[in-house]
Amino acid sequence: MEYEIREERLTAGEYIDFLERRGLGSQYPKGRFAQRIETLVKSVPISLTARGEGHALIGVCFGLTDFAYWLFLTDLGIVRECVGMGIGKVLV
């Protein structure tokens, strides 16, 4: 499968849809879920995506950094159909 890695901001709706398809939405607190995701996608310093056929979102990597010494990955997810293809390694 061919895919493209890019630095891009997701909308809250895109990320929520991705979380639901990946089964990761349950890791977040339910209270004000959509509002918190909106803040996350607007505020995270590092936002990388993997896009497959038809521009489909197949992977996400979010991180916090000081842009000098450290990077902390806050989210790394790949859709189930693409797990094991090395996309997560490329995103990291």
Side-chain angles (χ1 to χ4, degrees):
M1 167 189 258
E2 290 193 28
Y3 59 89
E4 179 183 3
I5 304 293
R6 63 173 76 172
E7 185 175 350
E8 71 173 307
R9 293 263 172 222
L10 297 176
T11 66
E14 283 180 301
Y15 191 51
I16 290 169
D17 179 61
F18 175 80
L19 291 172
E20 289 173 354
R21 287 187 298 123
R22 182 65 180 103
L24 294 173
S26 62
Q27 73 182 5
Y28 292 96
K30 298 292 180 218
R32 298 184 358 248
F33 177 72
Q35 182 181 18
R36 289 176 185 219
I37 294 297
E38 179 78 28
T39 300
L40 181 148
V41 298
K42 284 182 178 178
S43 303
V44 69
I46 304 291
S47 179
L48 300 175
T49 62
R51 300 266 184 187
E53 278 185 38
H55 198 61
L57 184 61
I58 59 172
V60 173
C61 180
F62 292 149
L64 303 172
T65 184
D66 65 358
F67 293 101
Y69 289 106
W70 60 269
L71 169 66
F72 175 77
L73 294 182
T74 62
D75 291 71
L76 177 63
I78 310 298
V79 294
R80 283 186 169 81
E81 308 85 59
C82 298
V83 169
M85 298 174 71
I87 297 169
K89 288 180 184 178
V90 174
L91 283 168
V92 172

